[in-house]
Amino acid sequence: MNGPLPVDSPIGGFFWSWVVPVVLFGIALTATWLLYRHFSKRGGGE
């Protein structure tokens, strides 16, 4: 009675397996780089 539901996952295929992860990784990489640039320009070294 507690088996899996008899439905297909709406998320699947090339788009969800390759495009979305690459875009999310690109956004994270860009945000990390921008944060690094922002905080590395502050002088003082403290």
Side-chain angles (χ1 to χ4, degrees):
M1 187 153 185
N2 289 333
L5 295 175
V7 295
D8 290 331
S9 174
I11 297 176
F14 178 79
F15 179 74
W16 290 105
S17 298
W18 288 97
V19 176
V20 171
V22 169
V23 170
L24 290 176
F25 180 76
I27 291 169
L29 185 66
T30 302
T32 303
W33 178 69
L34 289 172
L35 284 168
Y36 172 76
R37 279 190 47 196
H38 174 73
F39 288 109
S40 67
K41 288 185 179 179
R42 295 190 177 187
E46 299 172 77

